[in-house]
Amino acid sequence: MRSYKLISAIEEFASGVQGFHQPNSNVVHIATRITEAAFERTIQPEITVDVDGALSFDLRLHNGQLVLAELEPDGSLDASIYDSQSTLIKRLPHTTETILVNML
């Protein structure tokens, strides 16, 4: 089930959404690495493709914090961290794959 969800989200993201920019292979590799880390390090990650073609991450950390992130087809990555009561702790606009994966 985990591998199917991983492959499904990555394939959908890699295909691009009609009318929006299709990600290049480097961005697809970033998406794959973040998705793999999410499945390895978080609790029941939800990874979906938005209507605008962005790959969205809804990730619950083992300490109860929630990380919401979006990887755009152009490679830009934004993330926000919330506490267990859904209060914003930190906003990370234009973050990197390394920073996001290290937070997980």
Side-chain angles (χ1 to χ4, degrees), residues 12-71:
E12 186 178 356
F13 178 69
S15 296
V17 173
Q18 187 175 4
F20 290 94
H21 180 352
Q22 184 175 7
N24 66 38
S25 62
N26 291 333
V27 176
V28 174
H29 287 299
I30 291 169
T32 301
R33 290 189 297 266
I34 294 170
T35 300
E36 287 172 345
F39 275 100
E40 291 171 1
R41 302 179 186 179
T42 65
I43 302 165
Q44 296 180 329
E46 292 184 31
I47 302 168
T48 58
V49 178
D50 287 351
V51 295
D52 63 354
L55 190 61
S56 294
F57 300 88
D58 186 334
L59 310 172
R60 181 68 61 183
L61 305 181
H62 290 279
N63 66 4
Q65 292 178 337
L66 178 66
V67 175
L68 300 179
E70 278 197 348
L71 177 62

Side-chain angles (χ1 to χ4, degrees), residues 73-91:
D74 68 2
S76 60
L77 178 63
D78 293 317
S80 297
I81 306 167
Y82 298 86
D83 67 15
S84 58
Q85 279 73 42
S86 298
T87 302
L88 180 64
I89 296 174
K90 190 172 188 176
R91 176 99 173 88

